[in-house]
Amino acid sequence: MQRTNGLIFGYNDYAKEIARNIDKKYKRVTLFALKGEEHAAEESKYPLCFFDLSDEWEELQKEYDMAQTVAFCALEDDAQNIFLTISLRATFKELTIVALAKSKESGNKLMMAGADKVIPLVQTTADMIVDLLERPVASNILHGILYEKSNLKIVQIEVQDENYFHGQYPADIDWSRNHGIIVLSVIHQGKAGEFIYSSKAKHHVITRGDIFVVVGYDEDLKAFEKLIGSRMA
Amino acid sequence: MGFAKRLFVDFFYFLQSCKSYRQARRFVYNFLENERSKAKKYFDLFMMFLILVSVVTLIREVKHPVDESFLFFNYYVISIIFFIEYLLRLWVVSSVSDVIVSRYENDVATGQEFRFFMACREVAALKLRHIFSLKAIIDLVAILPFFHQLRLLRIFTLFRVFKLFRYAKTFQTFASVFRAKRFEFITLFIFSSIVIVISSVLIYVMEANNPASPVNTLFEAFYWSIVTIATVGYGDIVPITEGGRIVAVFVIVAGIAVLAFTTSLVVSAFNEKLDEVRETKILNNLTSKKRYYILCGYENIAKEVAKKLSKSEHGVLILDEDAHRIEEARKEGFEALNYDPGSIESYHKLRLDLHAQVKAVLCLRESDVENVYTALTVRAISKDIFILSLLNQHANRKKLEFAGANEILYDKEIVGMVSREFIGQPVAFEAIHALRSEYSYINIEEVVLTQRILERFATVGELHATRFRVVLLGIYKKEHERFYFNPIDSTFLEEGDCLLLIANTVFIEEFVKYLNKR
């Protein structure tokens, strides 16, 4: 799912933070400010375009490969954000759309409008606060792992060489002792992810194309990756 | 100073410094007067039960014979209990030793001879003030049925009901409502009295000389006026003259006005008092719970946080200076007070021990100015309390740090990081998100190792987590402040270590039960 272009719609603090976080992962990051926000041109550190909600979006296709592009809809007004999402989805079927929602209600509408992922602003922050208070250790560790602030990493590894496992079940392997890693979940081709010890995972033989969600130190992960396949990131 | 005076002062100094005396006094005070004490609640319930027994006995005694032992209990035992209570209240209501010692030190400081009589007068004044208070008089009257041989005094049993005012808070609230509208009620009383007096005299003048009229005396006229103005109208006395009926019309109209005015007065008084009653109830409830999260502000993020934290074992208390937001929080079922979180006085009013009873203060306003102000206020009260604050503008981070916030959350930064990870590793992101989500059946839990667990398990290998289908992600060693990922079997376990477990919630529960089994 590696993409090369990031298009961020809206010129506000959320958009700036998204740009700052993704600019190392994308070859090209472009901000789109609404017409009327001309002051953005002087401030922006990223290439900036202006748009109107009534714009026709086909033009974008000339500049960006939509299959390799992610659009972040980060307009402050929920109604405008929904309108933008629906406009982009109507024009580009293959574009990945991530949209920000202020409330649960607008989150549902954004999903209906065709967003691939909705980030509920209030809920995400509230979850983080509650985690910090109620499970401080777990929260810090997971935060460190997910946002690469510790040596521990979480990666997805796809099985390329199924012979290595000789028809074993995921729960039968002592991953931590044999490989120094912890497998959290396994995704069998075309199915939803299952926790490593779930009944479904226990009755499914490891096959080529399965994806493991693995936590470990970089060296162990690389060694494991060599054994079974390629890392996806 | 004479020997007797010296002895007198020394005795009170001794009392003041005597630990067991002070403890005994504190114990009695908690039972009788301390609203926050649990013992008082039980004591009040016990006294209410005694009152109930007394009244039931009085009613039963009217037409049925009552067992002698029961009567003995009613007239002697209960009266003696009430008398002991009366004396104990007289003792704890004010401290004699404090007054004497303070007077003595005052006199010494001003270079005067210790004024013994002045000190005694101060003590007497304090005690007499209590003795002549309405509550104390009721207490005394309630003891009188002890002398039940005097038939009249037996009736005083009924006065024990008035003692309920002392024990039931609802009655106190009711009384305070009337106190608050005292002026209006007095005005109404004067108006009604004037109408009653005038109408009584008028009806007497109009009717008394008519032989067919039932109004023959001034008392009958007075009785008729009260019955009419109260809109009761028994009909036993009715005016028959034309003049008397005209008077009756005026009294009836005045009666309707008085009734309407009284009703509106009581309703408005209760409405005005309602917030205060709720506030008192919340403040009283606060003491019973163990630890609290104090949420300062009740806006979007705070609402969501309150909802999630309400499922935790700790209590949630919301403070906001905006009355509408507080009303909203109360409708959602939260304990919320219309206090300014940026004011030190608000925290004093809470009567909470911030160190022991507050787990964290959360500054969740959508304004950095307010959050900085609140953080600074809380930090001024306590240096140790954990403060978490929301940051709305990145430029204000340092100000919040300076104000003393331990943890600062910038929601825009969180969204940026979430966006990056979702796009980079969607499956891993969803896996971690699922672990954090309360709606997922797979969960990550922290289990702190206690001495009890360590009695049976010394190393990681002995835990056998995989047997319970539980993944041991690692151990957080509190002492070293370090996380050991995927620890080897020989890793020693220590008290206070925190195990991070990932599994189905049911499996984790089973595993924790197994760890705690003796």
Side-chain angles (χ1 to χ4, degrees), chain A residues 14 21 26 117 127 129 134-138 141 146 154-156 176-177 187 197, chain B residues 293 308 312 409 411 420-423 425 427-428 436 443-444 446 466 483 485-486 489:
Chain A
Y14 288 109
N21 273 281
Y26 289 77
K117 169 79 183 169
D127 281 343
I129 291 172
E134 290 286 289
R135 299 185 293 192
V137 177
I141 302 299
L146 192 58
I154 184 164
V155 292
Q156 303 156 196
S176 56
R177 301 294 163 260
I187 299 151
Y197 288 131
Chain B
Y293 287 116
K308 287 172 191 292
S312 89
L409 279 180
D411 59 340
R420 182 185 70 195
E421 284 315 308
F422 171 70
I423 294 306
Q425 304 184 89
V427 178
R436 285 178 150 172
N443 215 340
I444 183 160
E446 298 173 7
T466 47
F483 180 67
F485 168 71
N486 193 16
D489 283 349

mmCIF file of all heavy atoms in Angstrom, chain A residues 14 21 26 117 127 129 134-138 141 146 154-156 176-177 187 197, chain B residues 293 308 312 409 411 420-423 425 427-428 436 443-444 446 466 483 485-486 489:
data_model
loop_
_atom_site.group_PDB
_atom_site.id
_atom_site.type_symbol
_atom_site.label_atom_id
_atom_site.label_comp_id
_atom_site.label_asym_id
_atom_site.label_seq_id
_atom_site.Cartn_x
_atom_site.Cartn_y
_atom_site.Cartn_z
ATOM 1 N N TYR A 14 -4.382 21.104 11.479
ATOM 2 C CA TYR A 14 -4.451 19.659 11.222
ATOM 3 C C TYR A 14 -3.701 19.336 9.929
ATOM 4 O O TYR A 14 -2.888 18.412 9.879
ATOM 5 C CB TYR A 14 -5.908 19.198 11.101
ATOM 6 C CG TYR A 14 -6.643 19.192 12.407
ATOM 7 C CD1 TYR A 14 -7.633 20.139 12.675
ATOM 8 C CD2 TYR A 14 -6.347 18.249 13.384
ATOM 9 C CE1 TYR A 14 -8.303 20.139 13.893
ATOM 10 C CE2 TYR A 14 -7.018 18.236 14.605
ATOM 11 C CZ TYR A 14 -7.997 19.185 14.851
ATOM 12 O OH TYR A 14 -8.653 19.182 16.052
ATOM 13 N N ASN A 21 4.079 15.181 9.114
ATOM 14 C CA ASN A 21 4.270 13.766 9.438
ATOM 15 C C ASN A 21 4.470 12.874 8.226
ATOM 16 O O ASN A 21 5.102 11.828 8.321
ATOM 17 C CB ASN A 21 3.072 13.255 10.252
ATOM 18 C CG ASN A 21 3.246 13.503 11.732
ATOM 19 O OD1 ASN A 21 3.951 12.766 12.410
ATOM 20 N ND2 ASN A 21 2.637 14.570 12.218
ATOM 21 N N TYR A 26 6.401 10.341 1.542
ATOM 22 C CA TYR A 26 5.837 10.561 0.205
ATOM 23 C C TYR A 26 6.829 11.353 -0.650
ATOM 24 O O TYR A 26 7.542 12.209 -0.144
ATOM 25 C CB TYR A 26 4.523 11.336 0.287
ATOM 26 C CG TYR A 26 3.388 10.534 0.864
ATOM 27 C CD1 TYR A 26 3.301 10.307 2.225
ATOM 28 C CD2 TYR A 26 2.405 10.001 0.051
ATOM 29 C CE1 TYR A 26 2.276 9.559 2.762
ATOM 30 C CE2 TYR A 26 1.369 9.251 0.573
ATOM 31 C CZ TYR A 26 1.300 9.029 1.930
ATOM 32 O OH TYR A 26 0.282 8.287 2.451
ATOM 33 N N LYS A 117 -10.848 5.858 5.084
ATOM 34 C CA LYS A 117 -10.566 5.875 6.523
ATOM 35 C C LYS A 117 -11.025 7.217 7.086
ATOM 36 O O LYS A 117 -10.755 8.270 6.493
ATOM 37 C CB LYS A 117 -9.055 5.680 6.741
ATOM 38 C CG LYS A 117 -8.578 5.943 8.138
ATOM 39 C CD LYS A 117 -8.875 4.790 9.052
ATOM 40 C CE LYS A 117 -8.448 5.080 10.479
ATOM 41 N NZ LYS A 117 -8.947 4.086 11.416
ATOM 42 N N ASP A 127 -9.478 8.976 23.369
ATOM 43 C CA ASP A 127 -8.925 7.628 23.581
ATOM 44 C C ASP A 127 -7.505 7.721 24.127
ATOM 45 O O ASP A 127 -7.124 6.997 25.040
ATOM 46 C CB ASP A 127 -8.885 6.853 22.254
ATOM 47 C CG ASP A 127 -10.256 6.303 21.902
ATOM 48 O OD1 ASP A 127 -11.100 6.249 22.807
ATOM 49 O OD2 ASP A 127 -10.473 5.957 20.734
ATOM 50 N N ILE A 129 -6.112 10.193 25.752
ATOM 51 C CA ILE A 129 -6.103 10.724 27.131
ATOM 52 C C ILE A 129 -6.463 9.613 28.128
ATOM 53 O O ILE A 129 -5.779 9.409 29.128
ATOM 54 C CB ILE A 129 -7.092 11.909 27.261
ATOM 55 C CG1 ILE A 129 -6.570 13.105 26.476
ATOM 56 C CG2 ILE A 129 -7.312 12.290 28.721
ATOM 57 C CD1 ILE A 129 -7.534 14.258 26.357
ATOM 58 N N GLU A 134 -5.457 5.530 32.337
ATOM 59 C CA GLU A 134 -5.878 4.228 32.844
ATOM 60 C C GLU A 134 -4.841 3.133 32.616
ATOM 61 O O GLU A 134 -4.756 2.194 33.375
ATOM 62 C CB GLU A 134 -7.206 3.832 32.189
ATOM 63 C CG GLU A 134 -8.372 4.682 32.651
ATOM 64 C CD GLU A 134 -8.821 4.337 34.057
ATOM 65 O OE1 GLU A 134 -9.403 3.271 34.245
ATOM 66 O OE2 GLU A 134 -8.551 5.135 34.963
ATOM 67 N N ARG A 135 -4.132 3.208 31.471
ATOM 68 C CA ARG A 135 -3.114 2.186 31.188
ATOM 69 C C ARG A 135 -1.833 2.887 30.751
ATOM 70 O O ARG A 135 -1.444 2.818 29.585
ATOM 71 C CB ARG A 135 -3.608 1.267 30.065
ATOM 72 C CG ARG A 135 -4.880 0.537 30.417
ATOM 73 C CD ARG A 135 -5.280 -0.444 29.355
ATOM 74 N NE ARG A 135 -5.678 0.220 28.109
ATOM 75 C CZ ARG A 135 -6.281 -0.395 27.108
ATOM 76 N NH1 ARG A 135 -6.519 -1.680 27.174
ATOM 77 N NH2 ARG A 135 -6.624 0.264 26.025
ATOM 78 N N PRO A 136 -1.198 3.601 31.666
ATOM 79 C CA PRO A 136 -0.056 4.431 31.263
ATOM 80 C C PRO A 136 1.092 3.640 30.643
ATOM 81 O O PRO A 136 1.684 4.077 29.649
ATOM 82 C CB PRO A 136 0.367 5.116 32.561
ATOM 83 C CG PRO A 136 -0.241 4.325 33.652
ATOM 84 C CD PRO A 136 -1.461 3.693 33.098
ATOM 85 N N VAL A 137 1.387 2.473 31.220
ATOM 86 C CA VAL A 137 2.522 1.690 30.693
ATOM 87 C C VAL A 137 2.190 1.183 29.300
ATOM 88 O O VAL A 137 2.954 1.402 28.339
ATOM 89 C CB VAL A 137 2.853 0.515 31.646
ATOM 90 C CG1 VAL A 137 3.961 -0.339 31.072
ATOM 91 C CG2 VAL A 137 3.234 1.040 33.010
ATOM 92 N N ALA A 138 1.050 0.531 29.163
ATOM 93 C CA ALA A 138 0.650 -0.004 27.863
ATOM 94 C C ALA A 138 0.568 1.120 26.837
ATOM 95 O O ALA A 138 1.026 0.972 25.699
ATOM 96 C CB ALA A 138 -0.697 -0.700 27.992
ATOM 97 N N ILE A 141 4.070 2.251 25.747
ATOM 98 C CA ILE A 141 4.757 1.241 24.942
ATOM 99 C C ILE A 141 4.134 1.181 23.536
ATOM 100 O O ILE A 141 4.851 1.224 22.530
ATOM 101 C CB ILE A 141 4.678 -0.159 25.620
ATOM 102 C CG1 ILE A 141 5.294 -0.117 27.029
ATOM 103 C CG2 ILE A 141 5.332 -1.233 24.760
ATOM 104 C CD1 ILE A 141 6.756 0.254 27.099
ATOM 105 N N LEU A 146 4.142 2.179 17.796
ATOM 106 C CA LEU A 146 3.388 2.610 16.617
ATOM 107 C C LEU A 146 4.006 3.831 15.953
ATOM 108 O O LEU A 146 4.074 3.919 14.724
ATOM 109 C CB LEU A 146 1.940 2.899 17.035
ATOM 110 C CG LEU A 146 0.937 3.088 15.917
ATOM 111 C CD1 LEU A 146 0.887 1.867 15.011
ATOM 112 C CD2 LEU A 146 -0.453 3.332 16.488
ATOM 113 N N ILE A 154 6.624 -2.263 14.928
ATOM 114 C CA ILE A 154 5.545 -3.163 14.539
ATOM 115 C C ILE A 154 5.509 -3.163 13.011
ATOM 116 O O ILE A 154 5.543 -2.104 12.386
ATOM 117 C CB ILE A 154 4.197 -2.744 15.155
ATOM 118 C CG1 ILE A 154 3.127 -3.766 14.800
ATOM 119 C CG2 ILE A 154 3.770 -1.350 14.747
ATOM 120 C CD1 ILE A 154 1.882 -3.664 15.662
ATOM 121 N N VAL A 155 5.523 -4.334 12.434
ATOM 122 C CA VAL A 155 5.545 -4.415 10.959
ATOM 123 C C VAL A 155 4.570 -5.491 10.487
ATOM 124 O O VAL A 155 4.146 -6.353 11.253
ATOM 125 C CB VAL A 155 6.952 -4.752 10.412
ATOM 126 C CG1 VAL A 155 7.919 -3.630 10.645
ATOM 127 C CG2 VAL A 155 7.460 -6.045 11.000
ATOM 128 N N GLN A 156 4.269 -5.417 9.218
ATOM 129 C CA GLN A 156 3.450 -6.456 8.585
ATOM 130 C C GLN A 156 4.388 -7.260 7.693
ATOM 131 O O GLN A 156 5.120 -6.694 6.897
ATOM 132 C CB GLN A 156 2.389 -5.826 7.703
ATOM 133 C CG GLN A 156 1.501 -4.864 8.421
ATOM 134 C CD GLN A 156 0.874 -3.855 7.480
ATOM 135 O OE1 GLN A 156 0.377 -2.843 7.927
ATOM 136 N NE2 GLN A 156 0.918 -4.118 6.179
ATOM 137 N N SER A 176 8.462 -16.264 20.062
ATOM 138 C CA SER A 176 9.349 -15.449 20.885
ATOM 139 C C SER A 176 10.669 -16.151 21.186
ATOM 140 O O SER A 176 11.730 -15.521 21.166
ATOM 141 C CB SER A 176 8.651 -15.049 22.176
ATOM 142 O OG SER A 176 8.212 -16.206 22.835
ATOM 143 N N ARG A 177 10.615 -17.471 21.424
ATOM 144 C CA ARG A 177 11.866 -18.169 21.737
ATOM 145 C C ARG A 177 12.676 -18.462 20.477
ATOM 146 O O ARG A 177 13.888 -18.358 20.470
ATOM 147 C CB ARG A 177 11.566 -19.501 22.466
ATOM 148 C CG ARG A 177 10.809 -19.332 23.762
ATOM 149 C CD ARG A 177 11.639 -18.604 24.818
ATOM 150 N NE ARG A 177 10.785 -18.115 25.880
ATOM 151 C CZ ARG A 177 10.372 -16.854 25.963
ATOM 152 N NH1 ARG A 177 10.749 -15.951 25.079
ATOM 153 N NH2 ARG A 177 9.593 -16.483 26.953
ATOM 154 N N ILE A 187 -3.297 -12.438 9.165
ATOM 155 C CA ILE A 187 -4.381 -12.174 8.213
ATOM 156 C C ILE A 187 -4.240 -13.169 7.065
ATOM 157 O O ILE A 187 -3.234 -13.166 6.344
ATOM 158 C CB ILE A 187 -4.284 -10.735 7.660
ATOM 159 C CG1 ILE A 187 -4.407 -9.757 8.824
ATOM 160 C CG2 ILE A 187 -5.360 -10.474 6.625
ATOM 161 C CD1 ILE A 187 -3.696 -8.484 8.583
ATOM 162 N N TYR A 197 -4.005 -16.234 18.901
ATOM 163 C CA TYR A 197 -4.544 -17.377 19.645
ATOM 164 C C TYR A 197 -6.051 -17.574 19.440
ATOM 165 O O TYR A 197 -6.679 -18.326 20.161
ATOM 166 C CB TYR A 197 -4.270 -17.210 21.144
ATOM 167 C CG TYR A 197 -2.812 -17.401 21.498
ATOM 168 C CD1 TYR A 197 -2.153 -16.476 22.284
ATOM 169 C CD2 TYR A 197 -2.108 -18.512 21.047
ATOM 170 C CE1 TYR A 197 -0.816 -16.644 22.617
ATOM 171 C CE2 TYR A 197 -0.770 -18.682 21.381
ATOM 172 C CZ TYR A 197 -0.134 -17.748 22.157
ATOM 173 O OH TYR A 197 1.180 -17.924 22.485
ATOM 174 N N TYR B 293 -11.035 11.652 39.142
ATOM 175 C CA TYR B 293 -10.455 12.451 38.067
ATOM 176 C C TYR B 293 -11.234 13.760 38.083
ATOM 177 O O TYR B 293 -12.469 13.729 38.070
ATOM 178 C CB TYR B 293 -10.673 11.795 36.714
ATOM 179 C CG TYR B 293 -9.808 10.576 36.464
ATOM 180 C CD1 TYR B 293 -10.370 9.322 36.292
ATOM 181 C CD2 TYR B 293 -8.425 10.698 36.371
ATOM 182 C CE1 TYR B 293 -9.586 8.211 36.052
ATOM 183 C CE2 TYR B 293 -7.633 9.592 36.130
ATOM 184 C CZ TYR B 293 -8.214 8.352 35.970
ATOM 185 O OH TYR B 293 -7.443 7.255 35.727
ATOM 186 N N LYS B 308 -15.799 7.981 28.691
ATOM 187 C CA LYS B 308 -14.905 6.813 28.752
ATOM 188 C C LYS B 308 -14.419 6.574 30.191
ATOM 189 O O LYS B 308 -14.328 5.432 30.629
ATOM 190 C CB LYS B 308 -13.709 7.014 27.812
ATOM 191 C CG LYS B 308 -14.090 6.882 26.343
ATOM 192 C CD LYS B 308 -12.943 7.267 25.439
ATOM 193 C CE LYS B 308 -13.398 7.404 24.006
ATOM 194 N NZ LYS B 308 -13.803 6.150 23.381
ATOM 195 N N SER B 312 -14.343 3.614 34.360
ATOM 196 C CA SER B 312 -13.193 3.212 35.178
ATOM 197 C C SER B 312 -13.614 3.085 36.640
ATOM 198 O O SER B 312 -14.715 3.488 37.021
ATOM 199 C CB SER B 312 -12.056 4.232 35.046
ATOM 200 O OG SER B 312 -12.194 5.231 36.009
ATOM 201 N N LEU B 409 -1.192 17.109 25.600
ATOM 202 C CA LEU B 409 -1.644 16.431 24.379
ATOM 203 C C LEU B 409 -2.073 17.458 23.344
ATOM 204 O O LEU B 409 -2.978 18.259 23.586
ATOM 205 C CB LEU B 409 -2.810 15.506 24.688
ATOM 206 C CG LEU B 409 -2.452 14.145 25.279
ATOM 207 C CD1 LEU B 409 -3.685 13.341 25.542
ATOM 208 C CD2 LEU B 409 -1.537 13.369 24.359
ATOM 209 N N ASP B 411 -3.789 17.724 20.005
ATOM 210 C CA ASP B 411 -4.642 16.863 19.178
ATOM 211 C C ASP B 411 -4.258 16.875 17.697
ATOM 212 O O ASP B 411 -4.377 15.865 17.007
ATOM 213 C CB ASP B 411 -6.124 17.200 19.391
ATOM 214 C CG ASP B 411 -6.473 18.623 19.060
ATOM 215 O OD1 ASP B 411 -5.557 19.458 19.027
ATOM 216 O OD2 ASP B 411 -7.661 18.902 18.822
ATOM 217 N N ARG B 420 -0.120 9.307 9.352
ATOM 218 C CA ARG B 420 1.118 8.720 8.834
ATOM 219 C C ARG B 420 1.112 7.204 9.004
ATOM 220 O O ARG B 420 1.396 6.463 8.067
ATOM 221 C CB ARG B 420 2.311 9.303 9.595
ATOM 222 C CG ARG B 420 3.644 8.798 9.091
ATOM 223 C CD ARG B 420 4.745 9.319 9.944
ATOM 224 N NE ARG B 420 4.718 8.700 11.279
ATOM 225 C CZ ARG B 420 5.375 9.162 12.327
ATOM 226 N NH1 ARG B 420 6.065 10.263 12.237
ATOM 227 N NH2 ARG B 420 5.328 8.544 13.485
ATOM 228 N N GLU B 421 0.749 6.759 10.198
ATOM 229 C CA GLU B 421 0.815 5.325 10.451
ATOM 230 C C GLU B 421 -0.257 4.556 9.701
ATOM 231 O O GLU B 421 -0.028 3.452 9.245
ATOM 232 C CB GLU B 421 0.675 5.058 11.966
ATOM 233 C CG GLU B 421 1.933 5.364 12.723
ATOM 234 C CD GLU B 421 3.188 4.828 12.052
ATOM 235 O OE1 GLU B 421 3.234 3.634 11.724
ATOM 236 O OE2 GLU B 421 4.110 5.626 11.840
ATOM 237 N N PHE B 422 -1.415 5.175 9.559
ATOM 238 C CA PHE B 422 -2.484 4.477 8.852
ATOM 239 C C PHE B 422 -2.082 4.239 7.403
ATOM 240 O O PHE B 422 -2.299 3.165 6.846
ATOM 241 C CB PHE B 422 -3.789 5.277 8.903
ATOM 242 C CG PHE B 422 -4.830 4.688 8.000
ATOM 243 C CD1 PHE B 422 -5.415 3.473 8.321
ATOM 244 C CD2 PHE B 422 -5.190 5.314 6.815
ATOM 245 C CE1 PHE B 422 -6.352 2.897 7.473
ATOM 246 C CE2 PHE B 422 -6.122 4.741 5.968
ATOM 247 C CZ PHE B 422 -6.708 3.530 6.299
ATOM 248 N N ILE B 423 -1.479 5.233 6.810
ATOM 249 C CA ILE B 423 -1.093 5.101 5.409
ATOM 250 C C ILE B 423 0.131 4.193 5.278
ATOM 251 O O ILE B 423 0.236 3.383 4.362
ATOM 252 C CB ILE B 423 -0.798 6.505 4.814
ATOM 253 C CG1 ILE B 423 -2.101 7.297 4.779
ATOM 254 C CG2 ILE B 423 -0.196 6.415 3.435
ATOM 255 C CD1 ILE B 423 -3.250 6.613 4.059
ATOM 256 N N GLN B 425 1.381 1.704 7.497
ATOM 257 C CA GLN B 425 1.170 0.298 7.859
ATOM 258 C C GLN B 425 -0.273 0.098 8.311
ATOM 259 O O GLN B 425 -0.533 -0.004 9.509
ATOM 260 C CB GLN B 425 2.106 -0.084 9.008
ATOM 261 C CG GLN B 425 3.553 0.154 8.713
ATOM 262 C CD GLN B 425 4.402 -0.339 9.857
ATOM 263 O OE1 GLN B 425 4.793 -1.489 9.878
ATOM 264 N NE2 GLN B 425 4.664 0.523 10.811
ATOM 265 N N VAL B 427 -2.382 -2.364 8.331
ATOM 266 C CA VAL B 427 -2.761 -3.564 9.086
ATOM 267 C C VAL B 427 -2.239 -3.472 10.517
ATOM 268 O O VAL B 427 -2.960 -3.715 11.490
ATOM 269 C CB VAL B 427 -2.243 -4.838 8.381
ATOM 270 C CG1 VAL B 427 -2.607 -6.064 9.199
ATOM 271 C CG2 VAL B 427 -2.800 -4.934 6.988
ATOM 272 N N ALA B 428 -0.946 -3.081 10.648
ATOM 273 C CA ALA B 428 -0.352 -2.924 11.978
ATOM 274 C C ALA B 428 -1.099 -1.852 12.763
ATOM 275 O O ALA B 428 -1.373 -2.002 13.956
ATOM 276 C CB ALA B 428 1.115 -2.553 11.852
ATOM 277 N N ARG B 436 -6.291 -1.090 21.572
ATOM 278 C CA ARG B 436 -6.642 0.051 22.414
ATOM 279 C C ARG B 436 -8.146 0.228 22.535
ATOM 280 O O ARG B 436 -8.628 0.802 23.506
ATOM 281 C CB ARG B 436 -6.068 1.333 21.811
ATOM 282 C CG ARG B 436 -4.587 1.441 22.019
ATOM 283 C CD ARG B 436 -4.080 2.670 21.364
ATOM 284 N NE ARG B 436 -2.926 3.192 22.060
ATOM 285 C CZ ARG B 436 -2.190 4.184 21.618
ATOM 286 N NH1 ARG B 436 -2.471 4.756 20.492
ATOM 287 N NH2 ARG B 436 -1.164 4.599 22.307
ATOM 288 N N ASN B 443 -7.573 -7.480 23.934
ATOM 289 C CA ASN B 443 -7.258 -6.303 24.727
ATOM 290 C C ASN B 443 -5.807 -6.335 25.204
ATOM 291 O O ASN B 443 -5.193 -7.390 25.249
ATOM 292 C CB ASN B 443 -8.182 -6.300 25.945
ATOM 293 C CG ASN B 443 -8.571 -4.907 26.323
ATOM 294 O OD1 ASN B 443 -7.898 -3.946 25.940
ATOM 295 N ND2 ASN B 443 -9.635 -4.780 27.083
ATOM 296 N N ILE B 444 -5.302 -5.188 25.559
ATOM 297 C CA ILE B 444 -3.992 -5.140 26.209
ATOM 298 C C ILE B 444 -4.222 -4.685 27.656
ATOM 299 O O ILE B 444 -4.931 -3.717 27.893
ATOM 300 C CB ILE B 444 -2.996 -4.226 25.458
ATOM 301 C CG1 ILE B 444 -1.629 -4.273 26.131
ATOM 302 C CG2 ILE B 444 -3.496 -2.795 25.336
ATOM 303 C CD1 ILE B 444 -0.490 -3.816 25.249
ATOM 304 N N GLU B 446 -2.632 -4.208 31.784
ATOM 305 C CA GLU B 446 -1.466 -4.123 32.666
ATOM 306 C C GLU B 446 -1.773 -4.905 33.938
ATOM 307 O O GLU B 446 -2.838 -4.717 34.517
ATOM 308 C CB GLU B 446 -1.212 -2.671 33.056
ATOM 309 C CG GLU B 446 -0.889 -1.789 31.899
ATOM 310 C CD GLU B 446 -0.808 -0.317 32.300
ATOM 311 O OE1 GLU B 446 -0.876 -0.017 33.497
ATOM 312 O OE2 GLU B 446 -0.673 0.505 31.397
ATOM 313 N N THR B 466 1.448 -18.657 27.874
ATOM 314 C CA THR B 466 0.920 -19.234 26.619
ATOM 315 C C THR B 466 -0.125 -20.314 26.900
ATOM 316 O O THR B 466 -1.009 -20.528 26.081
ATOM 317 C CB THR B 466 2.055 -19.818 25.758
ATOM 318 O OG1 THR B 466 2.889 -20.601 26.602
ATOM 319 C CG2 THR B 466 2.867 -18.736 25.086
ATOM 320 N N PHE B 483 11.393 -0.872 29.958
ATOM 321 C CA PHE B 483 10.510 -1.917 29.446
ATOM 322 C C PHE B 483 11.351 -3.031 28.830
ATOM 323 O O PHE B 483 12.199 -2.777 27.979
ATOM 324 C CB PHE B 483 9.570 -1.320 28.392
ATOM 325 C CG PHE B 483 8.624 -2.332 27.805
ATOM 326 C CD1 PHE B 483 7.622 -2.904 28.581
ATOM 327 C CD2 PHE B 483 8.737 -2.736 26.484
ATOM 328 C CE1 PHE B 483 6.749 -3.838 28.049
ATOM 329 C CE2 PHE B 483 7.865 -3.660 25.939
ATOM 330 C CZ PHE B 483 6.871 -4.215 26.723
ATOM 331 N N PHE B 485 11.119 -6.034 26.534
ATOM 332 C CA PHE B 485 10.248 -6.677 25.553
ATOM 333 C C PHE B 485 10.566 -8.168 25.501
ATOM 334 O O PHE B 485 11.740 -8.564 25.553
ATOM 335 C CB PHE B 485 10.493 -6.022 24.182
ATOM 336 C CG PHE B 485 9.886 -6.775 23.033
ATOM 337 C CD1 PHE B 485 8.514 -6.794 22.846
ATOM 338 C CD2 PHE B 485 10.696 -7.475 22.133
ATOM 339 C CE1 PHE B 485 7.958 -7.491 21.790
ATOM 340 C CE2 PHE B 485 10.151 -8.171 21.079
ATOM 341 C CZ PHE B 485 8.780 -8.188 20.904
ATOM 342 N N ASN B 486 9.525 -8.981 25.379
ATOM 343 C CA ASN B 486 9.684 -10.419 25.189
ATOM 344 C C ASN B 486 10.742 -11.014 26.133
ATOM 345 O O ASN B 486 11.754 -11.574 25.680
ATOM 346 C CB ASN B 486 10.076 -10.650 23.715
ATOM 347 C CG ASN B 486 9.970 -12.098 23.321
ATOM 348 O OD1 ASN B 486 9.345 -12.903 24.011
ATOM 349 N ND2 ASN B 486 10.612 -12.443 22.205
ATOM 350 N N ASP B 489 12.777 -16.602 29.771
ATOM 351 C CA ASP B 489 12.125 -17.340 30.858
ATOM 352 C C ASP B 489 12.785 -17.129 32.223
ATOM 353 O O ASP B 489 12.128 -17.167 33.255
ATOM 354 C CB ASP B 489 12.114 -18.843 30.540
ATOM 355 C CG ASP B 489 11.048 -19.166 29.514
ATOM 356 O OD1 ASP B 489 10.224 -18.271 29.241
ATOM 357 O OD2 ASP B 489 11.048 -20.284 28.975
#
